[in-house]
Amino acid sequence: MGTKGREIIGIDVDKLVEELNKALADEWLAYYQYWIGAKVAVGQMRNAVVAELEEHASEELEHAGMLVERILQLGGTPLLNPEDWFKVGNCDYEIPSNPRVKKLLEQNIKGEQCAIEVYNRLLNLVKDADPITYKMVLEILEDEIEHEEDLEALMGDLETL
Ligand code: FE
Ligand code: FE
Ligand code: MG
């Protein structure tokens, strides 16, 4: 990115890139968790759950793209090796070895709750220091909050069956 664009950032840019890369690792694992979950899901309300999981997968992939764009703008290097996803990520990957929709929903709700914490912390980090990253993180946080709400609503529907 341009010299001035980098200069106006009020926190250590390398540290910021590191945080964005950690979130990038989380997004890829979240993407795969949703994507593979949608493939293996079984049980009641399967179709509704699969549709939501697929939608969320594509949104996590979009988040990954946004993070990479910003990392590059900041002059950083995005994670290049999938091996790093487990090493640097903030959130756990929940293996969907039990494909019942209720179990998948529980695991993905946990993931969203971790994501909300991560982006909320990131938001505070850049609040007065980097308005461009702030705007991006705010957008992602809005999506993660919606994701949690969607999954909890599905869980509620399942419980009233
Ligand atoms: Fe995300
Ligand atoms: Fe999400
Ligand atoms: Mg949704």
Side-chain angles (χ1 to χ4, degrees):
M1 122 169 134
T3 318
K4 200 69 187 173
R6 198 176 158 99
E7 209 180 278
I8 60 164
I9 294 167
I11 50 169
D12 184 75
V13 176
D14 293 338
K15 163 77 181 148
L16 176 57
V17 166
E18 196 186 309
E19 292 295 331
L20 296 176
N21 263 323
K22 285 163 77 75
L24 176 61
D26 293 332
E27 292 293 353
W28 271 106
L29 292 174
Y31 166 75
Y32 191 71
Q33 194 167 328
Y34 275 122
W35 185 87
I36 198 68
K39 301 288 186 208
V40 299
V42 294
Q44 281 181 312
M45 287 183 57
R46 183 185 167 278
N47 290 342
V49 172
V50 165
E52 199 67 51
L53 299 184
E54 283 174 347
E55 185 187 285
H56 289 194
S58 75
E59 286 166 356
E60 308 305 7
L61 194 55
E62 261 178 54
H63 297 163
M66 292 159 76
L67 289 161
V68 168
E69 292 295 324
R70 186 58 182 151
I71 289 166
L72 290 170
Q73 248 184 6
L74 290 165
T77 305
L79 296 180
L80 299 173
N81 188 342
E83 275 180 7
D84 292 332
W85 296 344
F86 280 98
K87 289 183 201 145
V88 312
N90 302 286
C91 302
D92 292 330
Y93 178 79
E94 305 273 339
I95 302 168
S97 42
N98 178 348
R100 308 288 307 176
V101 288
K102 191 167 177 289
K103 187 68 192 172
L104 298 179
L105 287 173
E106 271 170 23
Q107 290 177 319
N108 285 304
I109 287 168
K110 239 176 114 182
E112 292 300 340
Q113 289 174 344
C114 180
I116 290 168
E117 271 179 34
V118 166
Y119 287 113
N120 192 46
R121 187 172 48 74
L122 205 49
L123 204 60
N124 282 311
L125 179 76
V126 295
K127 190 171 45 191
D128 300 310
D130 179 357
I132 307 303
T133 301
Y134 183 89
K135 181 168 167 277
M136 178 197 72
V137 173
L138 185 60
E139 253 179 68
I140 298 178
L141 180 61
E142 282 176 346
D143 286 347
E144 310 303 13
I145 287 171
E146 194 186 300
H147 288 171
E148 183 202 34
E149 190 185 7
D150 291 344
L151 299 178
E152 286 183 347
L154 280 169
M155 192 67 121
D157 292 346
L158 265 176
E159 277 159 4
T160 57
L161 279 179

